Each structure stands twice: as C-alpha cells, then as structure tokens.
Amino acid sequence: MNYVNCNKEDLEKEYAALVAEYEEVKGKGLKLNMARGKPGEDQLNLSRPLLDVINSSTDCITAHGADCRNYGELAGIDECKNFFAEIFDVDPSDVMVGGNSSLNMMFDTIAGFMTKPVVEGCKPWYEVKNRKFLCPAPGYDRHFAITEYFDFDLIPVPMTENGPDMDVVEKLVENDDSIKGIWCVPKYSNPLGITFSDETVKRFAALKPAAKDFRIMWDNAYCVHDVTDTPDELLSLMAECRKTGNVDLPIMFTSTSKITFPGSGVAAMAASDNNMKVIKNRYQYQVISYDKMNMLRHARFFGDLNGVKEHMKLHKAVLKPKFEIVLNALESQLKETGTADWTNPNGGYFVSVDVLEGTAKEVVRLCKEAGVVLTGAGATYPYGKDPKDSNIRIAPSFPPNDELKEAMDVFCICAKLAACAKILNK
Amino acid sequence: MNYVNCNKEDLEKEYAALVAEYEEVKGKGLKLNMARGKPGEDQLNLSRPLLDVINSSTDCITAHGADCRNYGELAGIDECKNFFAEIFDVDPSDVMVGGNSSLNMMFDTIAGFMTKPVVEGCKPWYEVKNRKFLCPAPGYDRHFAITEYFDFDLIPVPMTENGPDMDVVEKLVENDDSIKGIWCVPKYSNPLGITFSDETVKRFAALKPAAKDFRIMWDNAYCVHDVTDTPDELLSLMAECRKTGNVDLPIMFTSTSKITFPGSGVAAMAASDNNMKVIKNRYQYQVISYDKMNMLRHARFFGDLNGVKEHMKLHKAVLKPKFEIVLNALESQLKETGTADWTNPNGGYFVSVDVLEGTAKEVVRLCKEAGVVLTGAGATYPYGKDPKDSNIRIAPSFPPNDELKEAMDVFCICAKLAACAKILNK
C-alpha cells in the first residue's frame, strides 16, 4: 500500500501490523552487518591463489633487475607501475605505487600540502585559516573525515545522476581561493553507485579555480568493479586535462583492496609531473621503499590489466546476486509505499537508499535494535549531517546471501515502520 | 709507518707509493658499494622459508578470530603486538603495528605533531617558528632529514662511548622550550655501534624538559642485532620512565626490516597511553588497517621473541665475518699510520671510521673514483656537515666477502693517500 495517499485508518492498521512484525524479528536475536563495504568470504577466497605466487623457491627479481626483498625503488616496481599507468591513463613515470592503502596515500597527500605548498609561492594549507574542501554528498565518510581532521570547512555539493552538480562546483571553485580541493569517486561512486558523465568529466577538466593550488582528489576506487552486464564507462580525466592544459588539477588514486585482499593489496596514485615532484619529494623523507614483495605478488598474479579484468568477472559472479537480493527486497517491499527511493548501480559496493525524509536515523536505530548494523545515518554527508535525514548506505558484500536476505527484510520492516510513525506523528 | 711522527722524506716516499697503488686499483674498474645498511644476498636467503608460511590452503585467522585478509584491526594483530610489546617493555595495548617501515611511523609521528599537539594546550609544532630538534652526531641521516624536512633547526649533540653527551642534552632540553625532541638509536647506534649506558638511559628517563611536548624518538632498530659473542645489553627506557613518572617522554620504534626482508617486514611503535591516544587518533583517519597478512606471516614464522632471537643467530653467522674483514683491514693497514680511529661494535650494521681531520670528503671522493661507493662524508651529521670532516660510515653487510675485502683495501689506500696528502699539504 501507498503510505502517502492512503487514509489514516488504513495506515494505523498497517502501523499496528508492522509493530507486531518488528517485535517478532527483534525476538530472533539476529546479528547481521551491512555497514561497511567489506568483501565477503566468497570474494576473499577468489584471491587465495595469489598466496602461492611467491614462495621460498621463487626468484624475487623484477623484470628490471631489482631484488624485491631488499630496499629500493621508492616509486614502486615497474611491473606494477605499468598496469596502474594504464588505469590512470598516464605515463608510468608519473605513477607512485605505495603500501596497502590508497586512503593512506590520500591522507599523505593532504597532510603534505598542509605543511609544504603544492604550488611554489602558495601558502601551505595550514596557514590558510579559512581553508575549505568540497564534499559532493552523499559521499564517502572517510574522505570527508580526512579534511575534517585537518580543519577544513567541509562544503557539501549536491550529487546528481551525472556526478557532482557542476554549476555549483564551478561557481564555488572559480570565485573562492580558499577552496583547495574536491573529493570525487568518479566511477560507481560511494554510495550512489553512479558514474560521472562525460560532460561532468569535461567540466572538471575545464575548471578555472581561483586557487592556484586547488586539486581534484580523484579516487577511482571502483575502476574495474562492475556488478552487472551493462557496465558504465568513465571518460579519462587526464586525457581531458591534456586537452584543456589543466594537467595539474587531478591527483588520482586506486588500489587492489577490493580486487585481491582488503588491507593487503597494493595502492597507487598518479598525477602530473609537477604534482608528483612535490609528492615524491615528501615520500623520499617518509619511507625508503614500500612492500615490493607484495607488488611482485600482484604483478605476477595478474600479468597485466586484462588479468585484473578477468579476475573481476569472478567478483561480479559473487556480487551480482547480492545486489539483486537488495534490489528485489526494496522493489517488492518498499516500492508500493511511495516513501523510499534507491539507486540501481552497475558496479561498486553500495546501494544508496533514501527513506522518508526525517526517518533515516530512526530506521538505523530500529535496525540496530533488531540486530542489523547499518552505516550510521548521515555518515555519507559532511560532519555526518544529512540535512534531510533520509540517506542510508547499504553494503551488500559482506553477509552471506541468506543473511543478507534476512537483513534486508528487517531493513524494509524498519523503513516502513519509521515511515508510518512519521506520517502518523507517533 | 706512523704518518704523524715520521720525517717528511719518508712520508713523501710513502705518498709516491700510495699514488702508484691508487692508480693501479683505479685501473681495475671496480664497482663496489659499502654505502647503505642493506642486508646482503646470504642474509635475504635466510628468510626464504617465511614465504612458505602462508599459501592458498592456509587459514588466515588470528588467535583472536580476525580474518587477516579483510579490513580491520587498526593497531595490528595481537600475535604481533605481543612480541613487539616484549621488545618495547610495554603492555600490548600500547603497541601499534604498522606497515613495512618504522621510518614511515617516525615520519608520521613528527608530521602528526606538526599539525595537532601531542599535549593538549601546547601549540602544534608548525606554529613554533624557532622549533629545534636534538641530533646526536654522528647519527642516522634519515632521522635528521625528517626533522630538516619539517623545518626544525637541527642541533648537534656530541656522542660519547656511553651515548649522547647527557650534560649537553640536559642543559639544552631543560632550558629551551623550543627544543621538541631528540633522535636516538639506543642500541648498536647508527653509525657508531655503541649502546647507551645504563646511566645514559636513567638520565633520559629523569629529564625535565622545558617543553611539555618534548619527546624522545627512541629508534630501537638494532634491538636483537648482535654480531659478536659478547652482545650489549640495553636498559629498558620505559621501565626507568615508570620509576621517574616520565612515561610520556619516549616514543619507541622498531621493525623486522633487518630481521626478515628490508621493505617487506613489519614495523611497530609503542608509547604511553597518553601518547598512543593522540597517535592512534591520527591513524584512524589515515588508514583502515595495515597489512595483516604480512603480520600473520611474521607471527607464525617466529612464534615469539625467542624465535626472533634464534633467527638472529643466523644473521650473526653471516655478518660476523664481514665485520671481521672490515676491522682486520683497518687494524692491519691503517692502525700504524696513527691517522684513523674506528669503532668495534658488538652489533648493528656499521663500523664508524674517523679518518684524519679534514680528509673524509677526499677519502670518499677517491674511493668513488676507484669504484667504491661509500656513504657521503658528513652524512652522519645534521645538514650533512661534519665540522671535523673526519667521520665515514662503513656498511659491511651488502657486498659479498671477497668484494668487501677488495673494497676495504681500496678504502685503506684512499684513507692513507688522503692523510699523506693533507700532512704534506699537497
């Protein structure tokens, strides 16, 4: 039944039924988790063969003669640089392969610019007292948190189905030199799952920021992470920037965290010569070299980018049914109520649900009481504040399918219960 | 012959002979390297079995149930925390196990305090315009470089056979609140190979710094790295600090870089609750978790600290002859000249040689021309400036023994040639 158009008496009946249903599931003592984009057991098992690539009788020498067991190769081994360069659409000399975490490389980048300017003559950001960062929202809480930690004012930018609202971005960036950057997940964005349109990418490449040291933090975390047979295509930002002459704008990141093992994958970044010069200058003081054994393990496991893409088909086979479970539950249980909207992404790790305005927090609370942990309501907004209290990020990957089904049933009951209560002013 | 007491005629003869000898070795076209403390091939092979510990059929679950393949456990896995806690003499809850590089953890620590104070109410170090850091010298160039990168004034402190000259340290630290810390390698120090005496450790624990946010950067890089059968013992700084109530003073670091593989080992740090609270607060924004697979690999390979110590006996068997080659060459070729002194360490990675004052740069240059690369003269001093131009750090670990012998012969010829030339005013 549609909650918005129905009469009060019917809705009261529905509410009473939902309360009873909710009490019943609460009694089950469930312990389910749809909070974070963690790969599930089946996905982790896909990369088990990676662990056999290097053993005690393997040679550990790169194609260019470096011994991966010893110090050296600050920017990473060539085998890895090459396949990341293909992803980033840059020359391998502009790639830096790091440790296990692209988040750490993003943090290092912002931390670096806090104390040394990325553009000579600009102030280190620590000295820009009213420094600001654009946060397309809903977005990734850990991105926002880095700039919050460094005391930036977080400026929300609305997300559209084509990416950040570029009218807003252009107006802000081109008129305020205290705005130093913007966070982007351009493909299968977290949490919406949308891919920036060609026009959005072109407008990013054509930005004329008031701040010379404005940078686009381009986190291509889900670059090869399709979950349907109709994958999205993302235009190359770097290629567009070469056309506009704006090659210093983007700093790009990715990792194999959701390709092999989260936390023991390989992360990488790339940017223009100018940017990489500043970034590598800091890294040379920070570390002697990152874990080349793990780089070699990955390089030999995949061979090249095609190897990565083949491997991602295995992930898709695991993830596709999980996304279908989530979407089927939403479709069959929430659609008719007219109180919720959601995304239907071709890839990534999330389904983003907008429940009835003013009920997201309540839905998360109800779920928690019934044993289903969700990402905190509001987490996808700067400072954790969703102005409409409506957005909830669902992460289908971690629970086994039967648990996911059960968790989604609980979620739908809670969303309906909260919506009824809100409309009925309970 | 003794160059200092001999007559000019004899020295001229010696000089002519040395020039001839030098020209001869230069003709050989050698390519040898004694520059950095890199383990050699034989040492790397000792840890090959580490690479079999985890393979595709291994379970990857910690004793406490964490799946090392997935995200989680920001401070590292308990198995690793436990053995590092024993090294640091702290509770495992005060240990943070990081990535592959303790240098990176030191860099992160200084970088962190640059923008957020370690003690509430103190200024972030970025705002302390005349900030200073004490650099016991000769010392580790990469330590000094971190604080130079962050624009500290580097204040040299003389090293004695018992560690940094504590009269100087106390006077400086207790009277100048712009001095924010000191770099220490307390056991088998880089490059002297000396171990801080009990009195030195006690005086560190009893320091009364003018700056509330003064910290001792205690890099215990060579904690189990003996090369003779008469190893040094280092008093526990944390135990002494518990007695004086100064538990917030030290921040301690170590790694397995020179136990297993440099660059793909496991690094760790430890400090008081107060310090770790600030440090972990930053790490929670910086990274989701470090490489737990590599932690598990190490924890299972060693079992416990005893396992580490047993493994280090294998390293000793490789390194002891190398140190003997260096010391024998110095003893047999340089001693009688009366122009050089050197250390005779029980562990670590270096022999520190003081050649005739004013000739270190020339010795390094001569060696380089003859195909033997040494650490740059002066590198062991802040800003690379050795006031006496005398100290040269010799790293015996990397070259095979026959090459090391050859390199040391070249070194001795160059040291003698430079000394003769200097005395003769050539």
Side-chain angles (χ1 to χ4, degrees):
Chain A
M1 79 187 260
N2 184 302
Y3 293 180
V4 188
N5 305 327
C6 72
N7 65 48
K8 202 187 157 187
E9 199 180 342
D10 288 346
L11 200 59
E12 288 281 6
K13 270 190 213 157
E14 173 82 357
Y15 177 72
L18 285 165
V19 167
E21 258 192 280
Y22 179 69
E23 290 305 320
E24 199 189 315
V25 296
K26 229 170 61 173
K28 287 186 186 172
L30 299 175
K31 224 181 145 183
L32 307 168
N33 194 315
M34 296 193 295
R36 307 249 25 134
K38 275 173 89 163
E41 178 75 19
D42 289 356
Q43 287 180 273
L44 297 176
N45 287 334
L46 297 175
S47 295
R48 279 200 172 272
L50 174 73
L51 302 173
D52 294 329
V53 171
I54 289 180
N55 60 45
S56 63
S57 52
T58 324
D59 88 275
C60 301
I61 311 295
T62 67
H64 296 81
D67 189 333
C68 291
R69 300 172 301 172
N70 223 327
Y71 292 119
E73 310 295 317
L74 175 63
I77 68 173
D78 290 345
E79 284 94 328
C80 274
K81 274 194 239 170
N82 291 343
F83 88 65
F84 283 120
E86 218 179 317
I87 290 175
F88 290 129
D89 187 17
V90 297
D91 190 89
S93 64
D94 287 331
V95 173
M96 162 103 195
V97 188
N100 69 321
S101 165
S102 55
L103 193 76
N104 203 333
M105 299 189 95
M106 295 174 221
F107 184 96
D108 284 345
T109 301
I110 302 288
F113 300 164
M114 284 295 291
T115 59
K116 303 264 182 193
V118 59
V119 176
E120 222 182 293
C122 288
K123 279 185 192 170
W125 292 349
Y126 192 96
E127 294 181 27
V128 180
K129 287 303 167 201
N130 61 340
R131 57 190 175 270
K132 303 182 187 77
F133 224 86
L134 300 189
C135 299
Y140 182 30
D141 52 351
R142 288 186 184 271
H143 283 166
F144 303 163
I146 289 173
T147 32
E148 191 179 353
Y149 173 80
F150 285 114
D151 299 313
F152 284 80
D153 286 338
L154 308 185
I155 312 295
V157 170
M159 282 291 282
T160 75
E161 59 182 6
N162 296 312
D165 185 327
M166 291 307 291
D167 291 340
V168 174
V169 170
E170 286 160 1
K171 199 174 161 197
L172 286 167
V173 169
E174 296 179 0
N175 292 291
D176 182 348
D177 68 0
S178 67
I179 295 175
K180 297 303 182 186
I182 183 168
W183 289 111
C184 292
V185 182
K187 189 164 183 185
Y188 303 138
S189 69
N190 178 347
L192 293 174
I194 65 113
T195 296
F196 292 11
S197 70
D198 291 0
E199 195 206 326
T200 299
V201 174
K202 284 173 198 276
R203 287 174 75 176
F204 266 117
L207 270 182
K208 291 173 197 67
K212 277 185 199 163
D213 52 354
F214 174 91
R215 290 297 175 267
I216 302 168
M217 297 289 280
W218 196 253
D219 179 6
N220 210 345
Y222 307 108
C223 51
V224 290
H225 300 59
D226 308 323
V227 296
T228 71
D229 302 323
T230 52
D232 296 351
E233 292 289 338
L234 175 69
L235 205 61
S236 162
L237 176 59
M238 198 42 112
E240 294 305 314
C241 286
R242 279 189 286 263
K243 292 180 200 163
T244 57
N246 266 341
V247 292
D248 290 342
L249 272 186
I251 304 180
M252 304 179 290
F253 304 87
T254 196
S255 81
T256 71
S257 292
K258 288 175 183 100
I259 296 174
T260 57
F261 298 127
S264 51
V266 176
M269 67 185 297
S272 69
D273 289 350
N274 286 338
N275 288 329
M276 288 314 290
K277 206 173 135 188
V278 175
I279 288 162
K280 284 184 184 168
N281 177 58
R282 188 171 193 262
Y283 272 120
Q284 76 175 319
Y285 294 101
Q286 181 168 347
V287 69
I288 302 176
S289 49
Y290 283 106
D291 186 344
K292 293 186 296 297
M293 292 294 273
N294 206 33
M295 294 182 204
L296 190 69
R297 191 176 282 125
H298 280 76
R300 289 192 181 163
F301 185 58
F302 290 124
D304 57 18
L305 188 55
N306 271 331
V308 176
K309 286 178 180 167
E310 281 305 309
H311 185 73
M312 292 313 290
K313 290 182 186 165
L314 307 176
H315 280 285
K316 188 172 84 172
V318 176
L319 285 175
K320 197 177 171 195
K322 290 183 187 285
F323 276 78
E324 284 166 359
I325 288 169
V326 170
L327 293 164
N328 286 342
L330 296 168
E331 196 75 25
S332 64
Q333 298 177 53
L334 284 191
K335 189 166 193 183
E336 60 169 12
T337 69
T339 60
D341 282 308
W342 53 88
T343 56
N344 193 342
N346 284 319
Y349 262 69
F350 305 104
V351 174
S352 176
V353 183
D354 284 329
V355 295
L356 187 68
E357 266 196 51
T359 68
K361 277 208 175 79
E362 176 64 3
V363 172
V364 172
R365 190 192 66 78
L366 287 167
C367 280
K368 196 180 171 188
E369 263 190 36
V372 174
V373 180
L374 297 170
T375 310
T380 54
Y381 283 80
Y383 306 112
K385 281 179 198 153
D386 173 2
K388 293 183 176 168
D389 185 26
S390 166
N391 187 255
I392 297 176
R393 185 184 81 165
I394 288 183
S397 56
F398 191 66
N401 292 0
D402 52 341
E403 291 187 14
L404 181 61
K405 241 176 239 162
E406 206 162 16
M408 281 308 297
D409 288 344
V410 175
F411 175 80
C412 290
I413 292 168
C414 295
K416 289 196 285 185
L417 183 58
C420 273
K422 175 86 182 176
I423 296 168
L424 292 168
N425 259 323
K426 299 266 176 191
Chain B
M1 82 186 258
N2 184 303
Y3 294 180
V4 188
N5 305 327
C6 71
N7 66 49
K8 204 185 156 187
E9 198 180 340
D10 289 346
L11 200 60
E12 287 282 6
K13 270 189 211 156
E14 172 82 359
Y15 177 72
L18 285 165
V19 168
E21 260 191 277
Y22 179 70
E23 290 306 320
E24 199 188 317
V25 297
K26 229 170 64 172
K28 287 185 185 171
L30 299 175
K31 223 181 147 183
L32 306 168
N33 194 312
M34 296 194 294
R36 308 252 19 139
K38 276 173 87 164
E41 179 75 17
D42 289 355
Q43 287 179 274
L44 297 175
N45 287 335
L46 297 176
S47 295
R48 278 201 173 271
L50 174 74
L51 302 173
D52 293 329
V53 172
I54 289 180
N55 61 45
S56 63
S57 53
T58 324
D59 87 275
C60 302
I61 311 294
T62 67
H64 295 81
D67 189 333
C68 291
R69 300 171 301 173
N70 222 327
Y71 291 120
E73 311 294 317
L74 174 63
I77 68 173
D78 290 346
E79 283 93 328
C80 274
K81 273 194 239 169
N82 291 342
F83 88 65
F84 283 120
E86 219 179 315
I87 290 175
F88 290 129
D89 187 16
V90 298
D91 191 87
S93 64
D94 287 331
V95 173
M96 163 102 194
V97 189
N100 68 323
S101 164
S102 55
L103 192 77
N104 204 332
M105 300 188 95
M106 295 174 223
F107 184 95
D108 284 344
T109 300
I110 302 288
F113 300 164
M114 284 295 291
T115 59
K116 303 264 182 193
V118 59
V119 175
E120 222 181 295
C122 289
K123 278 185 190 169
W125 293 348
Y126 192 95
E127 294 181 25
V128 180
K129 289 302 166 202
N130 60 341
R131 56 189 175 270
K132 304 181 187 77
F133 224 85
L134 301 189
C135 298
Y140 182 30
D141 53 350
R142 287 187 185 271
H143 283 166
F144 303 162
I146 289 174
T147 32
E148 190 178 353
Y149 174 80
F150 284 114
D151 299 312
F152 284 80
D153 287 336
L154 308 186
I155 312 294
V157 170
M159 282 291 282
T160 75
E161 60 182 5
N162 296 310
D165 185 327
M166 291 307 292
D167 291 341
V168 174
V169 170
E170 285 161 2
K171 200 174 161 196
L172 287 167
V173 168
E174 296 180 359
N175 291 292
D176 183 348
D177 69 0
S178 68
I179 295 176
K180 296 304 184 185
I182 184 169
W183 289 110
C184 294
V185 182
K187 190 166 181 182
Y188 303 138
S189 68
N190 177 347
L192 293 176
I194 65 112
T195 296
F196 292 10
S197 70
D198 290 1
E199 194 206 327
T200 299
V201 174
K202 282 173 199 275
R203 287 173 76 175
F204 265 118
L207 271 182
K208 291 173 196 67
K212 278 184 198 164
D213 52 353
F214 174 90
R215 290 295 177 269
I216 302 167
M217 297 289 280
W218 197 252
D219 179 5
N220 209 345
Y222 307 108
C223 51
V224 290
H225 301 59
D226 309 324
V227 296
T228 70
D229 301 325
T230 53
D232 296 350
E233 291 290 337
L234 174 69
L235 204 62
S236 161
L237 175 60
M238 198 41 113
E240 294 305 314
C241 286
R242 278 189 288 264
K243 291 180 199 163
T244 58
N246 266 342
V247 292
D248 289 343
L249 272 187
I251 304 180
M252 303 178 291
F253 305 86
T254 197
S255 81
T256 72
S257 291
K258 290 178 183 97
I259 297 174
T260 56
F261 297 128
S264 53
V266 175
M269 66 184 299
S272 68
D273 289 350
N274 286 339
N275 288 328
M276 287 313 291
K277 207 175 135 187
V278 176
I279 288 163
K280 284 183 185 168
N281 177 59
R282 187 170 193 263
Y283 272 120
Q284 76 175 321
Y285 293 102
Q286 181 167 348
V287 69
I288 302 177
S289 49
Y290 283 106
D291 186 343
K292 293 186 296 299
M293 293 294 273
N294 206 32
M295 293 181 206
L296 191 68
R297 191 177 283 124
H298 280 75
R300 289 191 181 164
F301 184 58
F302 290 125
D304 56 18
L305 188 53
N306 271 331
V308 176
K309 287 178 180 168
E310 282 304 310
H311 185 73
M312 291 312 291
K313 290 182 185 165
L314 307 175
H315 281 286
K316 188 173 83 171
V318 176
L319 286 175
K320 199 177 168 194
K322 290 184 187 285
F323 275 78
E324 284 166 359
I325 288 168
V326 171
L327 293 164
N328 286 342
L330 296 169
E331 195 75 24
S332 64
Q333 298 178 54
L334 285 191
K335 191 166 191 184
E336 59 168 12
T337 68
T339 61
D341 282 308
W342 53 88
T343 55
N344 192 342
N346 285 319
Y349 262 68
F350 305 104
V351 173
S352 175
V353 182
D354 283 330
V355 295
L356 187 69
E357 267 197 51
T359 67
K361 278 208 173 81
E362 176 64 3
V363 172
V364 171
R365 190 191 68 76
L366 287 168
C367 280
K368 196 180 170 189
E369 263 191 36
V372 174
V373 180
L374 297 169
T375 312
T380 56
Y381 284 79
Y383 306 111
K385 281 181 198 153
D386 174 2
K388 294 183 178 167
D389 185 26
S390 166
N391 187 253
I392 296 177
R393 187 183 79 166
I394 289 184
S397 56
F398 191 67
N401 292 0
D402 52 340
E403 292 187 13
L404 181 61
K405 241 176 241 164
E406 206 161 18
M408 280 308 298
D409 288 344
V410 176
F411 174 80
C412 290
I413 292 168
C414 295
K416 289 196 285 184
L417 182 57
C420 272
K422 176 85 182 176
I423 295 169
L424 293 168
N425 260 322
K426 299 263 175 191

